[in-house]
Amino acid sequence: MKFLPLLWASLWRKKTRTIFTLLSIVAAFLLFGMLQGVNAAFERTADLANVNRLVVVSKISFTESLPYSQMQQIAAVDGVDAVSFNSWFGAYFQDPKNFIFSFPVEPRRHFDMYPEFKLPEDQLQAFERNRGGAVVGAALATKYGWKIGDRIPLHSTIWTRKDNGSSDWNFEIVGIYTVPTDVGQENQFFFQHENFDEARAFGRGRVGWYIVRIKDANQAAQVGAAIDALFANSTDETKAQSEKEFQMSFLKQLGDINYIVTRILIAVFVALLFATGSTMMQSVRERVPELAVLKTLGFSDARVLTLVLGESVLLCVLSACLGLGIAALLFPALKDVLGLVRLPGEVVAGGLIAAVLLALITGLPPALRARSLNIVDALAGR
Amino acid sequence: MNAIVTLQNVTKRYTRGKQTVEVLHGIDLEIAQGDFVALMGPSGSGKTTLLNLIGGLDQPSTGSVAVAGERIDSLSGSRLAKWRARHIGFVFQFYNLMPMLTAQRNVELPLLLTSLSASQRKRNAEAALAVVGLAERARHKPNELSGGQAQRVAIARALVADPTLLVCDEPTGDLDRSTADEILNLLQVLNREHGKTIVMVTHDPKAAEFATHQLHLDKGKLVGTTATSTTAA
């Protein structure tokens, strides 16, 4: 600790250069925090998947629909406890940037399938009674200031109405659900499938995918295989998968997030390695006489090496703390999208480890050079 | 004579490229405790090389160097560094202060290698600055000091750990006559009143007059010793 003032003063010897280097590292760690945070949020979503639930999609593609009639057949498969379904409505509220995760469902069947979604019984009954009714998540309601009784117009990018060809659909909010275990799930919008099915211009009698609750999680593979076998060689072959697999494949519609994030971060850190490394080398080159004086005063080769490495660690860790700190401040703003209210601790820890590694890699060559300085030659300017 | 520095048959050779040059040839020398010695000689005579050997910055090719009763010619790099920290205070021609540190922090540098507490280090640095008459400039950085003041800070840094020996390489070489005399007076006071043993390289005969003895080097050999009968004041 007693060397900290010396390290700090050495770091700020060339203020402008240090500020620019610091800012470049801050920017890199801000990016690291945000991208790794997004990655962690996606992985967490998959990790929260229920092991008792399977998702049955079309074997051709996740975007292909399945006939409603399959539901009863799936329900009859040995080991199946309950079945519900979902469809992708693809809508926004007022402006395309206000994307809404919206799904037509059968009210009681849906909330029975997802017991973690908490909806008061009177509101569920109102949802069942009101054909134009909708239930929204608490976070979504808060975001747009919606309350029960409000009429909400949604514009679907897929579905048109058969009565007027319009893509605009109106709903009345009759309930607001919460998900205490995962507030990230409180950004969805559910409305009555029956009314939707009658009103849509095409695709009647079909749903997007089925959700199947099984009696024994250990039998998931067998039950899934039995469901797929049931529809093998039909016009609507299925592919049953665990909820986690489904969510991962759903997220991969956006691309392999982990792959993209990793490649971006590698590119950023390689660039940073060269930038910081060259700054540290230049900084030590300029201070050769000063380092020689320290050695003259009795600082050993090892201590001089440690001081230069310490300076590099101080710069990188300080910058990483600032970058990750800004990411942590920005992260709550993405709560609605990612479902995470704060930057995960493992991302912060990973960032700090990366900062120390960066510091050691960029600091080692100049530190070794400082260690091997010959005092007489350095003082003589040779 | 109670010798604090003893050199026996010391030679020093340097290899530059394919050439090996012998800079010092069989030097035998003793410096008494409490002495103030001026090493004189023309450029290239080996003054600074000899000073570097006495200060433990370099090691002889042959021969032995003992300072304060300890042979330093065969110490490893890390032990020599520890030895320098304990026994030697250095003063350079161009002060060699850390530009980003205040005068007080510069003076504190050698104390970072001791077990003194932060408050003790601060007190000792302030005391050393007071000895050189710069207590009021403790918060100033080197670029806010004159050449003479910067050299005084360097002397305070050399003194602060109470070394056995002060080693000064052309300490007035960058100063005007009047400021140089102030610095030499200060060194004289340190020698006479504080009992510091000082070895100073200089090519300036006027500066050498402040020492108690003058050693003359020429072409790597000691060619004469002169006791300064009446030292300048």
Side-chain angles (χ1 to χ4, degrees):
Chain A
M1 280 304 284
K2 63 183 173 183
F3 292 101
L4 199 58
L6 177 61
L7 287 180
W8 185 253
S10 301
L11 192 62
W12 295 101
R13 193 172 176 277
K14 297 268 182 186
K15 283 194 180 67
T16 310
R17 185 173 63 201
T18 300
I19 286 170
F20 278 118
T21 308
L22 186 132
L23 286 177
S24 67
I25 305 175
V26 167
F29 277 93
L30 171 60
L31 191 66
F32 175 92
M34 297 307 290
L35 289 179
Q36 285 293 68
V38 168
N39 203 15
F42 283 169
E43 282 178 6
R44 183 171 173 274
T45 300
D47 288 342
L48 285 173
N50 191 307
V51 294
N52 284 309
R53 288 194 291 253
L54 299 178
V55 178
V56 179
V57 298
S58 166
K59 190 178 179 182
I60 299 167
S61 160
F62 156 75
T63 54
E64 285 291 315
S65 62
L66 294 168
Y68 183 81
S69 58
Q70 284 181 334
M71 188 160 65
Q72 291 308 319
Q73 293 170 274
I74 293 171
V77 170
D78 197 25
V80 170
D81 185 39
V83 185
S84 75
F85 59 85
N86 238 332
S87 299
W88 184 249
F89 188 58
Y92 61 80
F93 173 61
Q94 292 177 338
D95 188 291
K97 70 173 186 277
N98 298 331
F99 188 80
I100 306 287
F101 290 93
S102 44
F103 307 93
V105 298
E106 284 187 4
R108 191 163 293 275
R109 191 183 286 279
H110 181 81
F111 281 93
D112 177 51
M113 179 60 70
Y114 291 97
E116 65 269 33
F117 284 47
K118 306 296 181 193
L119 181 68
E121 178 58 28
D122 59 325
Q123 292 179 20
L124 179 56
Q125 286 177 10
F127 191 21
E128 287 181 300
R129 282 195 307 270
N130 190 333
R131 287 167 56 83
V135 166
V136 300
L140 187 64
T142 303
K143 181 178 178 183
Y144 292 109
W146 295 340
K147 55 189 185 301
I148 290 173
D150 284 355
R151 296 200 68 82
I152 307 300
L154 293 185
H155 181 92
S156 174
T157 54
I158 303 170
W159 304 102
T160 50
R161 299 179 63 90
K162 71 178 177 189
D163 53 0
N164 58 10
S166 165
S167 296
D168 294 326
W169 300 71
N170 290 296
F171 304 98
E172 180 189 349
I173 295 179
V174 295
I176 294 175
Y177 73 86
T178 58
V179 187
T181 54
D182 182 9
V183 292
Q185 297 290 329
E186 291 180 359
N187 61 350
Q188 298 176 47
F189 187 112
F190 301 112
F191 53 93
Q192 272 223 14
H193 168 79
E194 191 179 348
N195 184 43
F196 164 70
D197 198 41
E198 287 173 7
R200 60 181 163 175
F202 59 93
R204 281 197 69 183
R206 299 185 75 85
V207 298
W209 60 91
Y210 291 104
I211 303 104
V212 179
R213 186 168 64 228
I214 54 179
K215 290 171 183 166
D216 180 359
N218 295 321
Q219 298 294 312
Q222 291 90 324
V223 175
I227 293 170
D228 291 343
L230 193 62
F231 304 110
N233 300 318
S234 74
T235 52
D236 292 295
E237 288 190 303
T238 60
K239 179 181 160 192
Q241 54 197 329
S242 69
E243 193 171 77
K244 180 172 181 171
E245 285 171 332
F246 173 74
Q247 286 178 346
M248 290 306 286
S249 62
F250 185 85
L251 293 171
K252 280 185 178 174
Q253 300 295 310
L254 302 170
D256 188 334
I257 303 300
N258 189 33
Y259 181 87
I260 294 168
V261 165
T262 307
R263 292 311 181 272
I264 291 173
L265 290 177
I266 285 174
V268 168
F269 277 90
V270 167
L272 200 59
L273 215 60
F274 287 113
T276 314
S278 108
T279 302
M280 286 304 297
M281 279 301 278
Q282 199 179 343
S283 164
V284 166
R285 215 166 24 239
E286 288 168 357
R287 282 186 291 155
V288 163
E290 290 167 29
L291 295 169
V293 169
L294 287 180
K295 286 190 172 188
T296 303
L297 297 179
F299 285 63
S300 64
D301 292 346
R303 198 179 293 280
V304 169
L305 176 137
T306 310
L307 283 176
V308 174
L309 268 186
E311 199 180 309
S312 179
V313 169
L314 184 62
L315 173 67
C316 291
V317 171
L318 173 71
S319 310
C321 286
L322 286 172
L324 293 169
I326 296 170
L329 288 175
L330 293 177
F331 213 72
L334 300 176
K335 188 183 82 172
D336 293 340
V337 181
L338 300 174
L340 285 180
V341 291
R342 67 173 68 91
L343 191 63
E346 64 265 26
V347 173
V348 176
L352 292 177
I353 290 170
V356 173
L357 283 178
L358 177 73
L360 294 180
I361 294 169
T362 56
L364 199 57
L368 288 173
R369 185 178 175 199
R371 189 188 68 164
S372 63
L373 275 182
N374 178 288
I375 301 175
V376 173
D377 287 343
L379 288 175
R382 285 193 287 266
Chain B
M1 180 172 80
N2 184 15
I4 199 161
V5 177
T6 307
L7 278 77
Q8 290 181 329
N9 197 26
V10 165
T11 60
K12 180 64 187 176
R13 286 185 288 272
Y14 285 115
T15 303
R16 296 273 177 246
K18 289 179 181 173
Q19 263 198 322
T20 299
V21 180
E22 190 163 295
V23 184
L24 295 175
H25 317 289
I27 301 279
D28 290 303
L29 170 66
E30 286 194 342
I31 296 172
Q33 183 157 18
D35 209 350
F36 182 176
V37 173
L39 277 175
M40 303 278 292
S43 293
S45 60
K47 305 184 296 290
T48 298
T49 303
L50 182 57
L51 193 74
N52 288 343
L53 294 178
I54 294 170
L57 295 181
D58 208 351
Q59 288 179 310
S61 304
T62 62
S64 67
V65 179
V67 180
E70 191 170 356
R71 282 278 298 269
I72 60 167
D73 49 87
S74 53
L75 290 180
S76 67
S78 60
R79 291 190 61 190
L80 198 55
K82 273 186 191 163
W83 177 86
R84 280 196 304 273
R86 201 168 63 245
H87 290 292
I88 307 291
F90 289 91
V91 180
F92 304 93
Q93 179 178 356
F94 297 108
Y95 334 128
N96 284 359
L97 299 173
M98 301 288 159
M100 66 288 186
L101 298 178
T102 62
Q104 185 199 305
R105 289 278 190 201
N106 264 291
V107 174
E108 267 189 59
L109 277 176
L111 300 180
L112 291 177
L113 301 171
T114 67
S115 56
L116 293 177
S117 68
S119 59
Q120 282 175 310
R121 290 199 304 270
K122 185 167 180 278
R123 271 200 303 275
N124 288 9
E126 285 170 350
L129 281 169
V131 166
V132 300
L134 279 181
E136 78 289 355
R137 310 289 277 178
R139 302 269 175 271
H140 291 252
K141 288 190 175 172
N143 63 1
E144 298 161 349
L145 302 172
S146 68
Q149 288 172 330
Q151 194 60 297
R152 282 168 183 269
V153 173
I155 292 171
R157 181 179 66 185
L159 282 176
V160 72
D162 192 22
T164 312
L165 187 65
L166 273 187
V167 168
C168 312
D169 190 1
E170 302 269 15
T172 56
D174 195 42
L175 302 172
D176 60 56
R177 182 75 263 158
S178 134
T179 313
D181 285 350
E182 283 177 23
I183 295 297
L184 291 162
N185 273 321
L186 176 60
L187 290 175
Q188 206 169 50
V189 167
L190 293 172
N191 172 246
R192 286 179 179 173
E193 295 178 16
H194 297 266
K196 289 290 164 200
T197 309
I198 301 173
V199 182
M200 172 178 76
V201 161
T202 182
H203 62 274
D204 177 7
K206 284 193 186 309
E209 285 174 13
F210 283 78
T212 49
H213 287 90
Q214 295 176 20
L215 300 179
H216 297 272
L217 273 167
D218 191 22
K219 294 177 184 166
K221 288 184 177 171
L222 272 177
V223 293
T225 307
T226 314
T228 313
S229 52
T230 312
T231 51

